[in-house]
Amino acid sequence: QVHFVESGGGLVQAGGSLTLSCSASGSTSSFNGIGWYRQVPGAERELVAAISPYGGRKYGDSVKGRFTIVRDNAKNTVTLQMNMLKPEDTAVYYCNLGLFSGRGYYPGEFWGQGTQVTVSS
């Protein structure tokens, strides 16, 4: 089992910033990547950003240039800095452990509980 602690969601005006944090513990050794996904009602979860233990990063097209993911390997923690937020960034954001390779990020079966991000116009 994997246990996640997520924090940092909330309400912000368009153009503002938020920082999300995710810490994973437990049976994490099978995974080398940590990612953030987001989901709105009626839609599938989409990748926001993911990072490997060596600093490799992958971003969803809609957040490139605005969001930055950083990882602390010693603490198995990632931080997602979200800048220039838009109303369309409104969603529930989920942390995930998965596999990061040169071909991309492959989500694993364990997900955090989710944190709501709401961007008002």
Side-chain angles (χ1 to χ4, degrees), residues 4-7 20-24 34-36 76-79 95-96:
F4 295 94
V5 177
E6 299 173 339
S7 64
L20 304 183
S21 293
C22 171
S23 178
I34 302 178
W36 281 99
N76 220 20
T77 298
V78 293
T79 299
C95 190
N96 174 264

Side-chain angles (χ1 to χ4, degrees), residues 14-78:
S17 299
L18 281 175
T19 302
L20 304 183
S21 293
C22 171
S23 178
S25 61
S27 302
T28 63
S29 60
S30 299
F31 308 98
N32 69 347
I34 302 178
W36 281 99
Y37 281 72
R38 66 187 183 188
Q39 188 173 27
V40 297
E44 294 185 355
R45 288 183 185 179
E46 64 169 347
L47 176 68
V48 177
I51 189 168
S52 78
Y54 314 109
R57 294 173 172 86
K58 181 174 176 61
Y59 293 97
D61 289 341
S62 62
V63 307
K64 288 179 180 177
R66 300 187 296 122
F67 292 10
T68 302
I69 189 169
V70 177
R71 179 171 179 165
D72 183 334
N73 288 329
K75 298 179 180 179
N76 220 20
T77 298
V78 293

